[in-house]
Amino acid sequence: MDEIKSNNCEKITRRASRAVRVGGITIGGDAPISVQSMANRDSHDFAAVAEQTELLFARGCDIVRIAVPDESCVPVFEYCRERGITGPLVADVHFDYKLAVAAAARGADKVRVNPGNLGGTDRLLAVAEACGEHGVAMRVGVNGGSAEKKFVEKYGGATPAALAESALSYVETLYKHDFYDIVVSVKSSNVKTMIDSTRMIAANCDCPLHLGVTEAGTARMGTLKNAVGIGSLLCDGIGDTIRVTLSAAPEDEIPAGRDILRAVGIFDSGIELVSCPTCGRTQIDLLGLLERLEPRLDAIDTRGKRIKVAVMGCVVNGPGEARDADCGIAGGRGEAALFCRGRVVGKVSESGAEDALIDEIRRIIDGAEG
Ligand code: SF4
């Protein structure tokens, strides 16, 4: 076999994209990848929407989207500001471009439209003009139902190419009219379609990209579909903001999104937990240990450090298999070995393993590991 050339494949090189300001945060450029969710309370009930929005921001959501189904809902953004909500808010508008124009003027930081259902280029440009006037960004969304008819006909259906070309044509139109604060998304419930069309867009414009699989389903399958779709693109370096769409409470979308970023290694601080699958050599109650440990690790503030922690079932293979971990434990009979970067540094009883590992992590955070 020929020598396999190393391409430093662990490192993700992010696609260069234009930086777009959305309220207090930036999407694209070298800004961290943001995690979004969407309020699902009745948009006419401002207090309920604001309460849910506060909860989403408190749970670590970076951007919250709010549906604007009719004109009476437009003041919800001003209401949220009056309540003291400062995080970025996005107005979600379908069909009626006037709602997007009004939301841009009245407190939204970004408007999300599907140009294909606004009813013509003039209306899209009217939204862009309002956005430009008020320093508001626009998300240009395309899905199977809103792809341009001419491209659907050209490609014989709402294929990835039809979706991508639709999105790119809207970008071209907006750029021609000097509106550049655009984030682009292609949504599909088909993971492969979402991946392929987003790759095409990524290769043909400099807009930051919003990733997500739509109508993904319940928490279990929805998280998996999004992990495959969003995760594949992130591994290619594509994607600047994500939403894990789930048929679940919106606040459940946030940890799912953060976990996808962690799973592909895109996180600046926090703990990455790796653990072995267990086998016939396992001599401790590894699954019970992990169940207790995971929430404790989630609660640790690593003060900007990124720490890899391994929990392995046996001392024969564990420390070696997890040698790139900053610290970890490997089970023995009634005891566990504590190791740091593949080297065993001590032994603890099985019952003391959990606390010993936490202590070691704290030493790493304090810069005092042995
Ligand atoms: S670390 Fe040990 S117990 Fe775990 S899977 Fe590998 S060999 Fe089995």
Side-chain angles (χ1 to χ4, degrees):
M1 193 175 86
D2 291 340
E3 189 189 338
I4 296 172
K5 294 214 166 51
S6 164
N7 65 352
N8 193 17
C9 58
E10 269 190 35
K11 194 166 164 19
I12 294 172
T13 305
R14 226 169 128 191
R15 163 185 169 265
S17 65
R18 185 185 288 274
V20 171
R21 204 73 192 147
V22 178
I25 78 159
T26 299
I27 299 179
D30 56 7
I33 295 169
S34 48
V35 176
Q36 310 200 14
S37 186
M38 185 168 178
N40 66 355
R41 299 278 167 81
D42 181 351
S43 295
H44 300 89
D45 185 345
F46 293 177
V49 171
E51 194 183 311
Q52 190 175 41
T53 300
E54 285 165 349
L55 175 70
L56 288 168
F57 282 128
R59 294 281 171 90
C61 188
D62 296 309
I63 299 170
V64 175
R65 184 150 51 110
I66 299 171
V68 184
D70 61 56
E71 211 180 328
S72 70
C73 300
V74 171
V76 70
F77 302 99
E78 290 160 340
Y79 180 89
C80 286
R81 297 306 179 211
E82 278 159 22
R83 286 248 314 212
I85 294 172
T86 55
L89 301 176
V90 182
D92 184 82
V93 173
H94 285 278
F95 303 108
D96 188 350
Y97 80 101
K98 287 188 198 138
L99 297 176
V101 169
R106 296 185 60 186
D109 298 300
K110 183 169 74 163
V111 295
R112 184 266 199 165
V113 291
N114 282 0
N117 70 26
L118 286 184
T121 302
D122 288 357
R123 293 175 177 189
L124 174 63
L125 292 175
V127 178
E129 196 181 328
C131 287
E133 195 179 321
H134 298 284
V136 169
M138 183 193 298
R139 166 143 77 100
V140 168
V142 175
N143 57 36
S146 65
E148 283 286 310
K149 206 167 155 230
K150 65 179 174 187
F151 297 122
V152 174
E153 280 169 8
K154 177 178 170 185
Y155 291 101
T159 63
L163 296 173
E165 212 167 323
S166 289
L168 290 166
S169 73
Y170 301 134
V171 171
E172 198 183 336
T173 299
L174 291 165
Y175 275 16
K176 257 193 210 149
H177 288 82
D178 293 327
F179 185 77
Y180 300 98
D181 294 331
I182 308 165
V183 179
V184 176
S185 67
V186 172
K187 291 289 187 90
S188 173
S189 56
N190 182 297
V191 175
K192 181 87 166 62
T193 300
M194 172 265 188
I195 293 171
D196 288 349
S197 51
T198 306
R199 280 185 180 143
M200 290 175 199
I201 293 169
N204 288 288
C205 77
D206 66 351
C207 296
L209 300 177
H210 171 121
L211 309 182
V213 176
T214 194
E215 292 119 30
T218 57
R220 186 175 66 98
M221 270 317 283
T223 303
L224 275 171
K225 279 190 180 181
N226 273 287
V228 174
I230 294 172
S232 299
L233 290 163
L234 290 176
C235 285
D236 288 348
I238 295 170
D240 303 283
T241 183
I242 66 171
R243 179 189 174 200
V244 177
T245 309
L246 298 176
S247 302
E251 56 270 27
D252 293 346
E253 297 181 349
I254 313 304
R258 301 251 168 242
D259 283 349
I260 291 171
L261 293 177
R262 273 206 289 190
V264 292
I266 301 175
F267 65 108
D268 293 330
S269 73
I271 293 174
E272 179 188 5
L273 174 63
V274 297
S275 58
C276 85
T278 71
C279 73
R281 296 178 193 85
T282 315
Q283 293 181 324
I284 58 167
D285 174 20
L286 196 82
L287 305 187
L289 179 62
L290 284 166
E291 207 172 303
R292 294 189 300 278
L293 199 55
E294 197 169 35
R296 289 183 71 181
L297 297 183
D298 282 345
I300 292 176
D301 176 2
T302 59
R303 287 189 247 132
K305 285 191 177 167
R306 183 177 156 159
I307 301 169
K308 188 166 182 175
V309 174
V311 177
M312 310 297 280
C314 76
V315 81
V316 185
N317 291 335
E321 283 181 20
R323 69 170 60 83
D324 61 338
D326 294 294
C327 66
I329 47 173
R333 192 178 292 280
E335 60 181 19
L338 190 64
F339 61 90
C340 287
R341 299 185 187 95
R343 190 170 57 90
V344 174
V345 294
K347 280 202 172 142
V348 289
S349 67
E350 181 172 346
S351 59
E354 196 184 313
D355 287 340
L357 186 58
I358 299 273
D359 287 347
E360 189 58 35
I361 293 166
R362 294 206 187 284
R363 271 196 287 278
I364 291 173
I365 294 169
D366 293 339
E369 75 270 35

